[in-house]
Amino acid sequence: GILQHPDGTVLKQLQPPPRGPREQEFYNKVYDSDCCDSILLELREYLPKYFGVWSPPTAPNDTYLKLEDVTCKFNKPCIMDVKIGQKSYDPYASAEKIQQQVSKYPLMEEIGFLVLGMRVYHISSDSYETQNQHYGRSLTKETVKDGISKFFHNGYCLRKDAIAASIQKVEKILEWFEGQKQLNFYASSLLFVYEGSCQATTMRLSDVTLAEKRGVPKGLLSGGDILEYNNNIHVINSTENGKIEASVSKGLSKFYALHKKAYSKRHHSQLSLQVENLEQDNMWKSSTCITQEHLNGNVIPQLEKVFCHMPAEIKESANVEVRMIDFAHVFPSNTKDEGYIYGLKNLITVLKNILDN
């Protein structure tokens, strides 16, 4: 598995030959300080940073690749590992190895990718849900869209902002593959990471009011504020590029729970949501007033529209990383990597279908 080094990097133990040395050689080539190949220099953008090899003092014969921890900047990282390509075996694999790999997921050639696992943070329960490779191998052509959408669901709603940002990043990787003919990748993966808590999503709204007769303090939000929400809701006023921040000690989960409780007790409270902005800001413009009668006692879907279904400008700024990993089967080539390109295109199509539907 992957180990954490005290300096904030991660350690991946070198696999037995030829896989381990091949992966080390790949990293050495891409991150060579004398590298002037524009294709490889651009590729660095899509990989974890590489810091050479490391061995523990107590076991100098054990070698580890020292890599950037892509998850370190996240508070509640949601992580998914997706193997890309139509073949998970390399050109030098034996007939036995080919049969073994094909039997693990016969649909690999048709679908072009395989979900190897995921870990998703649910804000509703403040806990993680995990799925292993058996989950991914159970997905069919008909269920793969729902299988991947599970990764972007936080227990309340679909994180469309994270999907949109992920598509954007995968498309950049696809552009790189379309423009290079010197490397082919087999059994390599994309690592998806996004912020599970809502802290990374900031909405700049010129006028937002949230008024609730029970439980919500006066002055929670006022015109011209930035609404930033994580485990707490923050209100930030901007004056002369300075920021005055006041924190409301009510997490989103508690915020939802408050309204659930209020309506379950049939209190005739009213939640007003007004969101407006100037046209020139090219931001979200809407105005909504919600009452219990309008919602038949269910305010959650309307809250989801505010907190989860954000406009494109906000989606693109979501805190998301998509990096290529696992390079034990990378080989020189003089043709485009059509199998990897096929997998990327199919994955983008699935992600777009999730977003559109």
Side-chain angles (χ1 to χ4, degrees):
I2 300 295
L3 305 176
Q4 284 191 313
H5 191 282
D7 67 5
T9 59
V10 293
L11 303 169
K12 178 182 181 181
Q13 189 162 23
L14 210 63
Q15 299 176 70
R19 292 175 298 166
R22 191 188 294 135
E23 184 165 29
Q24 182 182 352
E25 181 185 355
F26 169 80
Y27 274 113
N28 286 337
K29 182 177 180 180
V30 174
Y31 283 94
D32 188 335
S33 58
D34 295 325
C35 178
C36 55
D37 185 330
S38 61
I39 295 293
L40 298 184
L41 291 173
E42 184 186 348
L43 178 59
R44 292 179 184 180
E45 297 178 32
Y46 313 120
L47 311 183
K49 291 185 180 67
Y50 173 61
F51 302 102
V53 295
W54 179 87
S55 295
T58 54
N61 292 327
D62 290 347
T63 305
Y64 294 82
L65 299 172
K66 202 163 185 284
L67 301 167
E68 171 190 8
D69 181 359
V70 180
T71 70
C72 69
K73 68 178 182 181
F74 296 90
N75 181 35
K76 298 290 185 182
C78 296
I79 305 167
M80 178 170 66
D81 185 335
V82 183
K83 185 184 288 188
I84 305 292
Q86 291 177 285
K87 297 176 181 177
S88 57
Y89 53 88
D90 65 51
Y92 303 100
S94 64
E96 183 183 1
K97 179 68 173 178
I98 292 172
Q99 180 58 38
Q100 180 192 50
Q101 289 298 315
V102 170
S103 64
K104 284 182 178 179
Y105 194 55
L107 289 172
M108 190 78 180
E109 187 168 357
E110 189 172 356
I111 293 178
F113 60 85
L114 166 64
V115 177
L116 291 178
M118 66 175 70
R119 182 172 180 259
V120 188
Y121 177 70
H122 285 181
I123 60 173
S124 52
S125 59
D126 189 26
S127 62
Y128 281 94
E129 178 185 353
T130 60
Q131 302 290 347
N132 61 21
Q133 56 186 321
H134 300 294
Y135 170 80
R137 290 190 176 116
S138 71
L139 299 177
T140 65
K141 288 184 296 180
E142 292 73 30
T143 63
V144 69
K145 186 182 80 170
D146 290 338
I148 287 184
S149 68
K150 195 181 189 76
F151 173 63
F152 294 100
H153 204 287
N154 65 8
Y156 276 125
C157 63
L158 193 66
R159 283 289 303 277
K160 292 191 173 186
D161 59 322
I163 300 172
S166 296
I167 291 170
Q168 198 174 51
K169 289 182 180 292
V170 176
E171 285 177 337
K172 292 292 290 181
I173 294 172
L174 175 60
E175 283 180 27
W176 183 84
F177 271 91
E178 293 279 21
Q180 70 91 23
K181 294 182 178 180
Q182 52 182 287
L183 293 172
N184 279 5
F185 295 73
Y186 301 91
S188 185
S189 291
L190 289 184
L191 185 71
F192 289 78
V193 189
Y194 73 87
E195 181 56 65
S197 69
C198 290
Q199 67 172 14
T201 308
T202 302
M203 290 188 291
R204 184 176 61 194
L205 308 173
S206 66
D207 183 23
V208 183
T209 61
L210 287 170
E212 167 60 71
K213 288 181 180 179
R214 288 171 50 95
V216 179
K218 291 181 180 179
L220 174 61
L221 297 169
S222 59
D225 293 338
I226 295 172
L227 171 63
E228 182 176 29
Y229 48 95
N230 55 8
N231 294 328
N232 298 318
I233 296 174
H234 296 283
V235 181
I236 304 171
N237 294 318
S238 181
T239 55
E240 298 177 345
N241 294 326
K243 292 184 178 178
I244 304 168
E245 179 174 338
S247 166
V248 180
S249 61
K250 207 176 287 293
L252 270 187
S253 57
K254 292 181 181 177
F255 186 74
Y256 280 100
L258 176 106
H259 293 287
K260 280 184 176 179
K261 184 177 180 181
Y263 282 110
S264 67
K265 291 186 176 180
R266 300 186 182 278
H267 286 294
H268 291 276
S269 55
Q270 176 173 307
L271 173 68
S272 297
L273 296 167
Q274 293 183 340
V275 184
E276 288 186 20
N277 210 317
L278 301 175
E279 289 288 343
Q280 58 265 35
D281 284 343
N282 195 27
M283 292 293 287
W284 188 15
K285 186 179 175 98
S286 67
S287 181
T288 314
C289 182
I290 306 170
T291 64
Q292 182 182 9
E293 289 73 24
H294 292 153
L295 296 172
N296 295 322
N298 186 5
V299 75
I300 301 302
Q302 300 301 324
L303 287 172
E304 287 176 359
K305 288 181 181 178
V306 176
F307 288 112
C308 301
H309 300 171
M310 291 164 284
E313 294 87 347
I314 294 172
K315 289 172 188 171
E316 291 174 358
S317 66
N319 198 359
V320 172
E321 290 285 355
V322 179
R323 303 289 185 94
M324 296 170 61
I325 59 171
D326 297 337
F327 306 111
H329 303 276
V330 179
F331 296 91
S333 175
N334 55 13
T335 61
K336 284 187 179 181
D337 191 341
E338 297 295 350
Y340 202 105
I341 289 172
Y342 176 90
L344 288 176
K345 286 182 175 179
N346 211 24
L347 179 58
I348 289 169
T349 299
V350 170
L351 291 172
K352 286 183 175 178
N353 285 339
I354 296 170
L355 193 61
D356 292 342
N357 294 338

